[in-house]
Amino acid sequence: MKKQLALLLTSVLLVGILAACGTSEKEDKNTAGNEDKDKKVLVMGTSADYPPFEFVETSKSDEIKGFDIDIAKAIGKKLGYEVQVKDIDFNSLVPALENKSVDFVISGMTPTEKREQSVDFSDIYYTAKNMIITTQDSKIKTVEDLKGKTVGVQLASIQETLANDLNKSEDIGMKIEKRNRIPEVVQEMSTGRFDAVIMEDTVAKGYLKDNKDLVGYLIKSGEEDAGSAIAFQKGSKLTDEFNAELKKMLENGEMEKLILKWFGGSESK
């Protein structure tokens, strides 16, 4: 009886030892396999409603893609970072940098004096113009035609600033309506709530192509058109790192290839 008990205890001990060894071996394998977890990760903020810069084709997938996304991921790869994309309303992007919930922002954002008080910007990587978008039956063709009209813009965008400036400098007297997302602004105009929308020409071309009821007119300006830049937390080392890679992409033709890919070459510089 004692012999049988001893054999039973020995068996139990052996099973325990083997189980412990298996767990240890498994943990070692997991640890070795988690070397990738040491890979540097950057969280990128963007407002994914701005094709072809950043958008989601909901009919195909939930993936955020576009010109800006390709730029960010290309630079991240060169610098050894994994880039995780976070979709945020445009007017919340700068606050997201300030509270450090994202490491950088790329979202067709134009550097302004106000924004530069809160964040740092990279060099300009793309320059576009602004357009008035309205319906075919509208008589609006110029900035002057916006007098007394209701005009939609994206909240906290450069177009909101432009609309406010036009009201002051040109005495247009238009009513400016703001929405969080570009599709919301276009929808409001399509249903007759807005008379027109001011948006970037590259983005506008997508809407004009998909909706034959809309027309667009470039806003003529004597000033140099504002460009897009990448925003970073104040004092971030990423600013210099990204600038160095942007410069290389502009010089070696990589940026030109992305412009051709997303804008069909019509906006290539």
Side-chain angles (χ1 to χ4, degrees):
M1 183 70 181
K2 288 182 179 179
K3 187 175 181 181
Q4 288 176 339
L5 183 59
L7 285 170
L8 180 61
L9 289 171
T10 301
S11 298
V12 171
L13 285 170
L14 282 171
V15 170
I17 291 169
L18 288 171
C21 288
T23 302
S24 176
E25 184 179 353
K26 188 175 180 181
E27 287 174 353
D28 288 343
K29 285 181 180 178
N30 284 341
T31 302
N34 282 342
E35 288 177 0
D36 287 344
K37 286 190 175 180
D38 294 331
K39 187 175 181 180
K40 298 177 288 184
V41 176
L42 292 179
V43 179
M44 168 192 138
T46 193
S47 181
D49 63 335
Y50 209 55
F53 290 88
E54 40 272 326
F55 63 102
V56 178
E57 281 187 287
T58 52
S59 61
K60 296 183 179 179
S61 72
D62 294 329
E63 179 189 5
I64 299 174
K65 59 184 182 179
F67 178 56
D68 284 345
I69 309 301
D70 280 1
I71 292 173
K73 290 188 174 179
I75 294 177
K77 186 176 181 180
K78 296 171 195 295
L79 296 174
Y81 293 108
E82 177 187 340
V83 175
Q84 295 179 355
V85 184
K86 194 172 184 180
D87 188 12
I88 302 171
D89 282 348
F90 191 82
N91 63 304
S92 298
L93 289 172
V94 169
L97 279 171
E98 291 180 292
N99 64 34
K100 299 185 178 180
S101 59
V102 298
D103 297 297
F104 70 101
V105 161
I106 180 166
S107 194
M109 185 175 285
T110 299
T112 63
E113 288 185 13
K114 183 178 180 180
R115 288 172 182 161
E116 287 174 341
Q117 292 173 6
S118 304
V119 300
D120 289 338
F121 281 98
S122 72
D123 297 331
I124 298 295
Y125 63 86
Y126 184 77
T127 301
K129 298 179 167 112
N130 292 299
M131 292 188 83
I132 298 169
I133 304 301
T134 188
T135 54
Q136 285 278 8
D137 57 0
S138 168
K139 296 180 180 179
I140 298 171
K141 292 184 179 181
T142 67
V143 167
E144 290 72 25
D145 294 334
L146 296 174
K147 188 167 185 176
K149 304 295 185 182
T150 300
V151 180
V153 293
Q154 185 177 35
L155 182 63
S157 67
I158 195 69
Q159 287 74 34
E160 180 186 350
T161 302
L162 172 61
N164 287 326
D165 289 345
L166 288 172
N167 262 351
K168 293 175 185 176
S169 61
E170 304 292 335
D171 192 26
I172 300 298
M174 59 183 160
K175 181 182 179 183
I176 302 168
E177 287 284 344
K178 297 160 277 189
R179 298 291 185 270
N180 283 326
R181 301 262 173 174
I182 289 291
E184 295 174 29
V185 180
V186 176
Q187 179 63 26
E188 295 278 33
M189 180 185 61
S190 298
T191 56
R193 293 187 182 93
F194 298 169
D195 297 300
V197 169
I198 295 177
M199 68 170 74
E200 193 168 301
D201 67 330
T202 308
V203 178
K205 286 173 185 176
Y207 284 97
L208 295 174
K209 181 180 177 182
D210 296 336
N211 193 333
K212 301 305 178 185
D213 293 331
L214 302 180
V215 289
Y217 303 96
L218 275 174
I219 295 177
K220 297 177 181 179
S221 173
E223 300 178 2
E224 184 180 350
D225 294 302
S228 299
I230 307 171
F232 302 91
Q233 296 169 13
K234 273 290 185 184
S236 172
K237 68 172 185 175
L238 294 173
T239 308
D240 289 339
E241 290 181 357
F242 272 62
N243 266 339
E245 295 304 326
L246 276 176
K247 184 178 180 182
K248 291 176 188 176
M249 290 177 74
L250 288 165
E251 290 176 348
N252 64 20
E254 192 172 352
M255 187 68 75
E256 181 72 11
K257 288 180 181 178
L258 290 180
I259 290 172
L260 289 170
K261 172 184 175 181
W262 290 106
F263 307 131
S266 61
E267 296 296 323
S268 58
K269 303 289 186 289

